[in-house]
Amino acid sequence: QPPSPAALREEKPWGWAQGRDGNCTDVLGGTVQRLCWSTDLYRQIKQVNEMAKTYSYAAQNAKDALKPFTFERRAPGADDVQIDILYCGVCHSDLHTVRNEWNNTLYPSVPGHEIVGRVTAVGGNVSKFKVGDLAGVGCMVDSCQHCASCAEGEEQYCENGFTGTYNGPVFGGENTFGGYSDNIVVKEKFVLRISHDDTNLAAVAPLLCAGITTYSPLHHWKVGPGKKVGVVGLGGLGHMAVKIAHAMGAHVTLFTTPPNKREDGLRLGADQVVVSKNPDEMAKVANSLDFILNTVAAPHNLDAFLNLLKRDGTMTLVGAPDSPHPSPTVFNLIFKRRSLAGSLIGGIQET
């Protein structure tokens, strides 16, 4: 026997729930738009109105290993999507954060912003997702939504500071907990549709940070056929950059410190691999590149790579070291009208 509409309104149910028997009814005057009854539906509705107990792994300080940690997610609201997490990538940002290498970590820290999962509940205002859909969450879960950057779909440059999937708002505020956990609740605006089949989901997750972090600058600086592109480093960001630049049709040169990465670089799509510690190999590509994407997250000599750019070439930094790079020589820039730039992840639409 299903509960009466009055009883439902008392419990303040929200959103859409799918019943097993498909016997549907409309409830007017409350927040429920449509409900499909089943024997356990009432319990499900009550559960989603309560804060969800969440199991995770968290760092309590910069020195100790991550350990099991239980906390409560907020109860989903009308604009929210609740997701059971299936996969979460391990990003270098996670390591920087749990070790407090950027000196801004809020503890306890539950990292993870390369999230793929399945929708378990949606709010009454949600229109793009339904229960059972695959969905993703990347590096952001909120922004001001009214500044110029947000209006242009560049929420990562929100002038009031976006809210990270973990570690809270970039300009300070309440902590947020990320994807090293079993569920997450996120505004629909910041949830990404995943269309891949179930067998590829583990590979999809790293696209939500490493993928967009490298795709966005390659797209912005118009990398494509006829362009000669350098990628510095073959780590989490670098291997994505090589694959994406190759897929865009560019001629790709990988720069790596260890020679034993040469074979991997070629397999991933590089047209040539240069060992950056070898002066002869570096000299052969001087003044030849249109664009360089530097993915290395450790301080290093930028002049060695600026010398490889043609006139009007650009090197863009996406690696974020815990201490500054040595300052580049000004003459390396002004004598070839070269540019040194940076780029941060990507907006929701671009992702």
Side-chain angles (χ1 to χ4, degrees), residues 285-288 292 302-310 332 338:
V285 290
N287 300 301
S288 69
I292 296 174
L302 300 179
D303 282 328
F305 299 102
L306 289 169
N307 286 335
L308 309 181
L309 291 169
K310 294 178 181 177
N332 265 342
R338 294 164 172 147

Side-chain angles (χ1 to χ4, degrees), residues 294 300-307 315 317 325-328 332 340:
N294 190 326
H300 60 282
N301 178 15
L302 300 179
D303 282 328
F305 299 102
L306 289 169
N307 286 335
M315 179 163 73
L317 308 179
H325 296 293
S327 181
N332 265 342
L340 179 62

Side-chain angles (χ1 to χ4, degrees), residues 84-238:
D84 274 358
I85 296 173
L86 301 175
Y87 297 95
C88 183
V90 177
C91 178
H92 202 156
S93 299
D94 303 347
L95 306 181
H96 284 304
T97 300
V98 299
R99 295 168 179 167
N100 198 25
E101 292 176 347
W102 293 331
N103 299 309
N104 66 346
T105 301
L106 302 175
Y107 293 106
S109 175
V110 179
H113 55 202
E114 299 176 340
I115 299 166
V116 173
R118 197 170 296 279
V119 175
T120 55
V122 298
N125 296 336
V126 172
S127 60
K128 297 178 182 177
F129 296 91
K130 64 181 185 301
V131 172
D133 284 349
L134 291 171
V137 180
C139 300
M140 301 177 286
V141 293
D142 205 358
S143 69
C144 80
Q145 293 296 293
H146 60 256
C147 70
S149 293
C150 288
E152 294 168 10
E154 301 277 11
E155 298 93 346
Q156 76 274 33
Y157 302 121
C158 176
E159 288 148 36
N160 297 293
F162 70 84
T163 299
T165 304
Y166 61 86
N167 211 51
V170 295
F171 294 155
E174 186 177 351
N175 200 2
T176 51
F177 296 143
Y180 290 17
S181 57
D182 62 357
N183 73 84
I184 193 166
V185 178
V186 180
K187 288 183 179 179
E188 180 187 26
K189 167 73 177 176
F190 290 86
V191 179
L192 304 162
R193 181 166 296 282
I194 304 296
S195 58
H196 299 69
D197 63 60
D198 288 5
T199 60
N200 292 318
L201 296 183
V204 171
L207 297 175
L208 304 183
C209 179
I212 187 58
T213 296
T214 50
Y215 171 82
S216 185
L218 291 170
H219 179 258
H220 179 79
W221 274 275
K222 298 179 172 57
V223 166
K227 298 289 187 180
K228 291 188 175 181
V229 174
V231 175
V232 184
L234 193 67
L237 293 175

